[in-house]
Amino acid sequence: MRKILILLLFPVQLALAQNSVQLESCYVWARQNYPNLKQSELWKEINSLSIQNHETNYLPQVTLNGQTTYQSAVTEVPVSIPGISIPTVSKNRYNTYAELQQTIWDGGLTKANKTLETAILNSHLSQLEVELYKLNEQVAQAFFTTLVVDQQKEVILAQVKTIDEQLSRAESAIRNGVTEPSAAMVLKAERINLEQNIVELDAAKNTSRQMLELLTGKQFTEKETFSYQSNFSFNSELLRPELQLLGVQREQLAVQSDLLSKTRNPKLFGFGQLGYGKPGLNMLLDEFKGYYLFGVGVSWNAFDWKQTSRQQQVLKLQQEMLQSQEATFIQNLNLLLIQQKEQIGKLEQLIANDENLVKLRSGITKAAASKLENETITTSDYVQELQAETVAKLKQELHKIQLNEAREKYVLIKGKTLAGTLTQK
């Protein structure tokens, strides 16, 4: 029997879960719906193409050349030997050849450039992560506004029901000639006030819902409810993407400094030439001949007049600037956290007082309702007490939502990871 009951209840629970919109889901949807998110794939594609270009540095480079020239003078042997004909070089020259160069070792430049490309990619992705994180505050604000409206509307509707009950009693008393018609008029006027409050709340909810729909790309129906599950704690770890961005930028500067040092390393390369021309390698043989040559070369910029050293000093100063920005950012975060922690403490105290205040106001309203039935107070007196109870209940619900919002804001200031990071390793 128990298994049958569980099976019967499960579809109902599943339906309720499906109609409940969670804040964490809204964060994920807003991230997925953000137009600039597409840039992450574009940056990755750019990185892939750039790395492929750097990898061609170790592939042989082949150049095809051709030329024909006429020169005004050629090398001659200034010796005349009887009976011996000394050939002369033609002033016309024809040459076509393929030139090949193969990098054997480039001093680590290719590897350093590929590392730099990955660092640049991480910098762009981290900047995009910072941009995405800013969406969370907008989503949370719209979400909690919707929650406040829903909770306050429930309070107003409960008070409308109470007014309707009193109005029914008043109309009955009027028909029996016990009460003046003005008693019903006071209750009807208060009901209209409550209906106006509902109209304002519905407008506010529509606005916040439309904001959420725009941010998340989802359409929310009237049947869907918004709920918030808090798992709050004053954790000590900072997870803001801005800190990750600053760290990635420092890493990029370090890679750039390493790349600069690699430019000073000697380079070893092989080369070769395969050609056909007139004359060939034998300058004294005035006819078309094929030829080839190959060898190994080395190049080294031994002196750069400290240009590399000064560029590395610039990069080091830029790293120090990033460290200063990080320290400033952390200090500002800590100031915000102190303020937010005080806000949380204040709201917790207000909620504790709200419990007692609502109980007192409910008791006063019940006593006023009893007095109204006994005609010891007027309808206006009763409505005044009912309004005071309504205000107390509205403040209670408002403070509860504000507390959850303050806690969520504290977590957002600290930083939270929702769907992983875009940064490549």
Side-chain angles (χ1 to χ4, degrees):
M1 183 66 184
R2 182 180 179 184
K3 292 182 178 179
I4 295 176
L5 182 61
I6 293 174
L7 290 174
L8 290 173
L9 290 175
F10 180 73
V12 177
Q13 294 173 347
L14 182 60
L16 290 174
Q18 290 175 342
N19 291 332
S20 178
V21 179
Q22 300 292 328
L23 178 59
E24 297 296 319
S25 299
C26 290
Y27 285 150
V28 174
W29 293 332
R31 181 187 180 90
Q32 294 171 347
N33 186 56
Y34 192 59
N36 265 0
L37 183 62
K38 185 179 178 181
Q39 286 190 6
S40 65
E41 296 303 322
L42 297 178
W43 283 122
K44 291 175 184 178
E45 183 66 21
I46 292 172
N47 171 259
S48 176
L49 293 172
S50 299
I51 287 179
Q52 289 178 34
N53 279 340
H54 288 303
E55 288 175 344
T56 61
N57 292 341
Y58 275 94
L59 296 178
Q61 308 297 314
V62 180
T63 306
L64 298 178
N65 301 281
Q67 65 181 21
T68 177
T69 62
Y70 175 83
Q71 56 194 67
S72 60
V74 295
T75 303
E76 297 179 350
V77 180
V79 177
S80 178
I81 302 176
I84 298 177
S85 176
I86 300 176
T88 59
V89 179
S90 174
K91 292 182 179 180
N92 292 318
R93 299 187 64 184
Y94 309 91
N95 195 18
T96 179
Y97 60 94
E99 195 171 33
L100 180 145
Q101 184 163 327
Q102 171 67 57
T103 299
I104 300 174
W105 186 62
D106 66 354
L109 275 179
T110 296
K111 183 178 180 181
N113 274 312
K114 289 166 64 177
T115 304
L116 179 59
E117 292 294 344
T118 301
I120 293 173
L121 171 63
N122 284 338
S123 180
H124 288 302
L125 294 181
S126 294
Q127 288 175 342
L128 180 56
E129 194 71 46
V130 171
E131 194 174 333
L132 286 166
Y133 193 78
K134 292 179 181 178
L135 288 173
N136 295 337
E137 185 175 349
Q138 297 177 348
V139 171
Q141 183 177 1
F143 185 89
F144 283 110
T145 299
T146 305
L147 280 184
V148 168
V149 170
D150 284 341
Q151 295 299 323
Q152 291 189 336
K153 186 176 179 179
E154 287 185 11
V155 173
I156 297 295
L157 289 174
Q159 300 304 77
V160 168
K161 184 179 179 181
T162 302
I163 288 289
D164 287 341
E165 292 173 354
Q166 292 296 335
L167 183 58
S168 177
R169 294 191 185 98
E171 289 175 342
S172 176
I174 292 170
R175 286 193 298 268
N176 295 326
V178 179
T179 305
E180 293 292 330
S182 61
M185 295 173 63
V186 172
L187 292 170
K188 288 179 180 180
E190 179 60 18
R191 194 182 195 286
I192 292 174
N193 287 332
L194 294 175
E195 288 174 349
Q196 289 179 337
N197 290 335
I198 291 175
V199 171
E200 293 177 352
L201 291 173
D202 286 339
K205 182 174 182 179
N206 287 334
T207 301
S208 60
R209 176 180 292 180
Q210 289 176 17
M211 290 179 61
L212 272 179
E213 288 178 345
L214 181 62
L215 289 168
T216 62
K218 301 290 183 180
Q219 296 295 320
F220 302 116
T221 65
E222 292 293 335
K223 294 181 180 180
E224 290 176 308
T225 60
F226 295 83
S227 61
Y228 176 73
Q229 295 179 351
S230 177
N231 188 19
F232 176 75
S233 64
F234 289 104
N235 60 78
S236 59
E237 186 178 6
L238 292 175
L239 298 173
R240 287 294 293 258
E242 291 89 345
L243 296 176
Q244 182 186 30
L245 173 60
L246 292 170
V248 168
Q249 289 176 337
R250 286 200 305 272
E251 182 181 349
Q252 180 180 337
L253 292 175
V255 173
Q256 287 177 308
S257 179
D258 181 63
L259 177 61
L260 284 174
S261 65
K262 294 284 194 298
T263 60
R264 297 296 313 281
N265 291 341
K267 281 78 175 173
L268 181 65
F269 60 91
F271 63 91
Q273 195 176 97
L274 177 65
Y276 182 78
K278 176 187 177 183
L281 294 182
N282 186 351
M283 300 295 294
L284 299 178
L285 186 60
D286 190 23
E287 61 184 62
F288 284 96
K289 284 288 185 180
Y291 64 91
Y292 68 90
L293 59 89
F294 60 87
V296 177
V298 63
S299 65
W300 180 35
N301 182 14
F303 301 99
D304 68 348
W305 309 108
K306 294 187 177 180
Q307 290 184 8
T308 300
S309 176
R310 285 190 287 270
Q311 289 175 335
Q312 288 179 323
Q313 288 178 1
V314 170
L315 293 175
K316 184 177 181 181
L317 292 174
Q318 290 176 341
Q319 284 184 318
E320 292 178 1
M321 290 173 63
L322 290 176
Q323 290 176 347
S324 175
Q325 291 177 18
E326 181 180 6
T328 302
F329 182 72
I330 291 176
Q331 183 182 40
N332 291 334
L333 283 184
N334 287 330
L335 288 174
L336 292 175
L337 290 171
I338 290 173
Q339 295 174 356
Q340 201 61 29
K341 192 172 182 179
E342 288 299 317
Q343 178 73 0
I344 291 171
K346 181 189 75 173
L347 288 169
E348 287 174 343
Q349 291 179 1
L350 289 175
I351 290 172
N353 292 332
D354 285 335
E355 294 289 340
N356 296 327
L357 181 59
V358 168
K359 288 180 181 179
L360 290 172
R361 282 297 175 187
S362 296
I364 293 171
T365 302
K366 288 180 181 179
S370 177
K371 291 178 181 179
L372 181 62
E373 290 179 6
N374 296 325
E375 297 184 354
T376 58
I377 63 172
T378 65
T379 307
S380 298
D381 293 333
Y382 169 77
V383 169
Q384 184 177 357
E385 298 300 341
L386 181 63
Q387 288 175 342
E389 179 190 6
T390 302
V391 170
K393 288 182 177 180
L394 289 175
K395 284 185 177 181
Q396 181 185 38
E397 296 302 328
L398 177 62
H399 290 156
K400 287 179 180 179
I401 302 298
Q402 285 180 335
L403 176 59
N404 284 331
E405 186 176 8
R407 288 172 173 174
E408 184 66 22
K409 188 174 181 179
Y410 183 92
V411 174
L412 289 176
I413 293 172
K414 280 280 189 178
K416 64 190 300 184
T417 303
L418 297 170
T421 178
L422 295 172
T423 306
Q424 300 294 294
K425 298 299 182 183

